[in-house]
Amino acid sequence: MHPCKYIIVSEEEEGYPLDAFCIPSHYEAYLERVLVPCGLIMDRIERLSRDIAQDYVNQPFTALCVLKGGYKFCADLLDKIKQNVRNSENPTGVISVDFIRLKSYVNEESTGKLKVMGIDNLSTLAGRNLLIVEDIIDTGFTMSNLLVLLKEFKPKSVRVVSLFVKRSPNSNGYKPDYIGFEVPNKFIVGYALDYNEYFRDLNHVCIINEKGKVKYGKK
Ligand code: IMP
């Protein structure tokens, strides 16, 4: 398997001013900076997809997309993996897709409880190579618990790709097999990452400001 290489967005990284990019006007007042522009995300996904396609040669697999935050990453990643497979003399075999929905957050805080939806379908994952596609790992609680749960359904193998991993002081030490970017311990939105369901319609990954947290926070 590929050694885990990823882009580190440092603590000092200020990102980019909002007016250097196209931001939906309904969100402008509620964001601080652009942290990771969408174009850079796409470039990183191109490389992640190459690494994954090479690791799964002759190994058909199921991409298990963690909704909702992972939907965009999963779609873009799979497009690129399929492109690699089409052009490779050593393809992976059939790639299938499944979906799971989890919830553990209210506002910026983990509630400490993992709510799993779509669990009834998980028995179909037995004997398969699973690639879990997640948007972000913060404390690691969600993924650690999901992995324990999935093992009960006896998949052949399980790997995890996460677009972002946060440098969280509350991390339980969990690290995914493939990582796009390691980011500072700030709440980020955009590219399908939400704050109480808002900001999924923003394509760049941005840092939400205090005004945004008040405006879109759950009372
Ligand atoms: P963990 O259980 O603390 O690792 O949290 C993982 C989940 O929390 C992710 O799947 C996201 O849904 C959510 N999450 C954590 N940090 C952020 C963030 O900065 N922006 C958006 N969602 C986040």
Side-chain angles (χ1 to χ4, degrees):
M1 215 182 96
H2 275 85
C4 197
K5 301 175 247 110
Y6 46 87
I7 291 181
I8 296 178
V9 180
S10 75
E11 248 8 78
E12 295 75 42
E13 175 64 58
E14 289 179 351
Y16 308 90
L18 298 177
D19 59 6
F21 293 92
C22 295
I23 304 290
S25 54
H26 51 275
Y27 286 145
E28 261 168 357
Y30 306 111
L31 297 167
E32 211 165 288
R33 308 275 289 180
V34 173
L35 189 67
V36 189
C38 186
L40 182 56
I41 294 173
M42 295 308 289
D43 290 334
R44 181 74 190 114
I45 289 177
E46 187 178 7
R47 180 55 197 254
L48 277 174
S49 68
R50 191 175 96 180
D51 292 348
I52 292 169
Q54 285 174 358
D55 287 348
Y56 280 90
V57 169
N58 291 324
Q59 293 187 70
F61 69 90
T62 297
L64 187 61
C65 173
V66 182
L67 296 172
K68 297 179 184 177
Y71 89 87
K72 231 187 120 38
F73 176 42
C74 188
D76 290 337
L77 181 74
L78 283 181
D79 272 354
K80 288 267 191 305
I81 291 176
K82 287 185 287 182
Q83 198 177 333
N84 272 281
V85 169
R86 280 199 298 276
N87 295 317
S88 170
E89 289 176 2
N90 299 304
T92 56
V94 174
I95 300 171
S96 53
V97 194
D98 237 309
F99 300 90
I100 187 173
R101 197 165 164 210
L102 310 168
K103 212 167 190 313
S104 64
Y105 269 67
V106 173
N107 291 346
E108 296 174 88
E109 300 295 329
S110 171
T111 58
K113 282 186 196 146
L114 186 68
K115 198 175 163 197
V116 183
M117 288 158 275
I119 186 81
D120 287 350
N121 303 328
L122 287 178
S123 51
T124 60
L125 303 177
R128 297 205 207 167
N129 294 310
L130 297 185
L131 177 68
I132 303 175
V133 185
E134 172 68 302
D135 54 355
I136 185 164
I137 307 284
D138 183 351
T139 61
F141 169 88
T142 305
M143 194 49 65
S144 304
N145 281 278
L146 178 61
L147 288 171
V148 170
L149 196 137
L150 283 177
K151 281 201 181 127
E152 289 173 22
F153 294 88
K154 309 234 175 330
K156 187 175 172 195
S157 70
V158 184
R159 286 186 197 153
V160 178
V161 53
S162 183
L163 182 57
F164 298 104
V165 170
K166 221 183 258 192
R167 276 191 300 279
S168 168
N170 301 321
S171 167
N172 67 0
Y174 172 76
K175 276 256 164 117
D177 303 280
Y178 306 95
I179 299 172
F181 302 84
E182 185 191 88
V183 291
N185 185 30
K186 293 184 175 150
F187 204 85
I188 54 176
V189 291
Y191 192 74
L193 280 86
D194 73 311
Y195 182 75
N196 294 329
E197 299 299 329
Y198 291 93
F199 300 102
R200 291 199 204 274
D201 53 335
L202 169 70
N203 58 344
H204 306 295
V205 166
C206 300
I207 301 166
I208 186 171
N209 65 18
E210 288 309 314
K211 215 169 137 188
K213 287 178 191 170
V214 172
K215 165 95 176 159
Y216 296 115
K218 279 198 179 139
K219 309 295 181 294

